[in-house]
Amino acid sequence: MALARAARSGDTLALHGLLDHLTPYVARICDPIALADGPDAAQEALLAVFRSLRSLKDPQALYGWVRAIAVREAVRVARRAAREGPAELADVPGRGDPQLAADIADVLARLSPEHRAVLVLRDVEGLDEEAAAAVLRIPAGTAKSRLHRARMSFRKAWSA
């Protein structure tokens, strides 16, 4: 928190230290949402953090604030990538495949960015539906139904 306070007040070294500290956290959020464009999304998120750090009112809320920025940027980058060209939907490897992480990434690639975002917030970050809805700036009921549809789509693609 001291690093965030010093960075907010204009300390360049503290800002670099803060961004270095936040990079793995932001990447962990952006990669499963933006998939192949995860590094781009993480970079965009870190730039947004850099640009708007002075607007952070409470340094205690740093991680929640950064999480919201990272999710928003990852969804934006994923949407842009989806518009630029359709993704190839390769066959999902069987359950016995030793590369479980690759299997999960393949299934996630079949979901929309919005579905990936709610799954990451709920099942990776451990947020409840209310908190995920707040991060995504959608009503709680929409988050719950989106999560339900995302999980059903994930199961369907996984078992195919």
Side-chain angles (χ1 to χ4, degrees):
M1 296 310 134
L3 203 56
R5 284 187 188 96
R8 278 184 54 218
S9 67
D11 183 342
T12 306
L13 290 177
L15 178 61
H16 287 288
L18 180 65
L19 292 175
D20 286 344
H21 175 74
L22 291 173
T23 297
Y25 177 68
V26 169
R28 189 178 82 221
I29 293 169
C30 290
D31 286 346
I33 296 171
L35 304 174
D37 296 313
D40 291 340
Q43 183 176 9
E44 292 294 329
L46 289 169
L47 281 170
V49 167
F50 169 75
R51 287 185 193 121
S52 56
L53 186 61
R54 290 183 191 259
S55 71
L56 175 64
K57 292 176 180 38
D58 181 14
Q60 298 291 339
L62 176 70
Y63 285 98
W65 181 73
V66 169
R67 180 188 310 120
I69 291 172
V71 169
R72 184 176 59 245
E73 290 299 321
V75 169
R76 188 183 60 76
V77 167
R79 280 184 187 152
R80 183 181 65 215
R83 281 193 308 267
E84 289 173 359
E88 291 195 26
L89 299 177
D91 292 331
V92 177
R95 287 186 181 189
D97 192 305
Q99 297 180 340
L100 182 59
D103 295 348
I104 292 170
D106 285 341
V107 174
L108 283 173
R110 295 174 180 252
L111 302 179
S112 70
E114 292 81 8
H115 285 170
R116 288 193 304 263
V118 74
L119 278 174
V120 167
L121 289 173
R122 182 68 177 101
D123 296 335
V124 175
E125 287 295 308
L127 298 180
D128 60 18
E129 285 89 358
E130 305 277 326
V135 169
L136 295 170
R137 297 181 182 166
I138 58 176
T142 302
K144 288 179 183 181
S145 65
R146 193 177 286 176
L147 179 63
H148 175 73
R149 286 191 307 272
R151 285 178 173 164
M152 286 185 58
S153 296
F154 187 95
R155 284 186 201 109
K156 182 179 177 183
W158 183 262
S159 62

